[in-house]
Amino acid sequence: MCLKKTVHKIMELHSLQNNLPADSVAIHDRSPLLETEYRNKILDDLFEVKAFLNQWLIELRNENTTSLQHQVQAVAPLVLQQYSSDIIQTMLSDISSAISLLTNMKTRDMIMILKSKRFLDRLVNTMEEKNHQEAKLKDGLKELSCRHMELQNSMSSSWPKQEAAVAKTRELKKVCESTL
């Protein structure tokens, strides 16, 4: 990447960073992030800055250009001199997290909920179906519990009969053995 472009990009980044007012978040009825074109422009800019910072980081860490970097840094503006590779790495991670926040499924779903009536209707229908299935499964569990109790009662009532049958079988066995 050309050195002039690098310096220009750094100056832009620095001026953007310093010119943000403390109350830069304005409350609007609709966020511009809901608009696909706006979101795509922001993502394009973020990807461009990420690529620039990646390249700059590579150049800073490259041992073959260390002497050139020192010469450039000596004549570079103060804005350029204050950034070390650690700070650039932090910027890269911040930009990567911003990109992931803009592109993850939760964000997409939230935007779709706010923008699309059909998506919202489908989501409501899905939730109602799941609610119905949950109620059905709970009823099934209650019925299963009742059957379990009935079987336990049946087993406990048949236990004395089984014991009597076992005792009678033993008696018959003794009789058969004595007869033989």
Side-chain angles (χ1 to χ4, degrees):
M1 190 179 257
C2 177
L3 185 59
K4 269 189 169 177
K5 275 188 168 181
T6 305
V7 171
H8 182 67
K9 283 283 188 187
I10 294 168
M11 298 285 256
E12 283 180 12
L13 284 172
H14 189 264
S15 67
L16 282 174
Q17 191 177 28
N18 288 339
N19 291 334
L20 285 177
D23 58 344
S24 65
V25 179
I27 299 172
H28 298 288
D29 290 1
R30 285 182 60 89
S31 170
L33 287 174
L34 294 176
E35 304 304 322
T36 306
E37 187 177 323
Y38 182 78
R39 231 179 15 263
N40 288 341
K41 285 180 182 178
I42 287 178
L43 283 171
D44 287 345
D45 289 345
L46 287 173
F47 281 122
E48 185 179 336
V49 170
K50 183 178 177 181
F52 165 75
L53 290 175
N54 272 326
Q55 183 62 37
W56 188 17
L57 191 61
I58 290 169
E59 289 174 4
L60 279 176
R61 291 181 176 166
N62 188 354
E63 294 176 7
N64 296 335
T65 60
T66 306
S67 62
L68 179 62
Q69 290 171 18
H70 291 299
Q71 290 174 359
V72 169
Q73 201 160 12
V75 295
L78 180 62
V79 172
L80 259 181
Q81 294 176 13
Q82 67 186 358
Y83 295 112
S84 66
S85 61
D86 294 335
I87 293 173
I88 294 170
Q89 187 64 48
T90 304
M91 287 180 189
L92 263 172
S93 67
D94 291 345
I95 287 175
S96 294
S97 67
I99 290 171
S100 70
L101 282 173
L102 282 172
T103 57
N104 70 15
M105 290 299 285
K106 281 186 177 183
T107 304
R108 186 191 65 86
D109 288 347
M110 293 302 287
I111 290 170
M112 290 299 290
I113 287 171
L114 291 171
K115 286 186 73 171
S116 173
K117 176 98 170 102
R118 279 189 341 188
F119 182 82
L120 185 60
D121 291 342
R122 273 196 318 257
L123 189 62
V124 167
N125 288 338
T126 303
M127 296 304 280
E128 286 173 349
E129 286 175 19
K130 288 186 187 261
N131 196 16
H132 178 69
Q133 288 174 348
E134 179 188 15
K136 216 171 164 182
L137 288 171
K138 282 183 179 179
D139 290 342
L141 279 173
K142 286 178 186 176
E143 186 178 320
L144 191 61
S145 177
C146 288
R147 284 186 187 170
H148 180 69
M149 291 296 283
E150 288 173 4
L151 285 173
Q152 254 185 336
N153 290 338
S154 172
M155 282 177 53
S156 65
S157 68
S158 67
W159 190 258
K161 292 178 188 175
Q162 182 184 356
E163 288 295 317
V166 168
K168 186 149 185 130
T169 305
R170 285 186 183 145
E171 284 176 29
L172 286 173
K173 181 182 173 190
K174 286 180 185 178
V175 170
C176 286
E177 286 176 354
S178 65
T179 308
L180 289 175

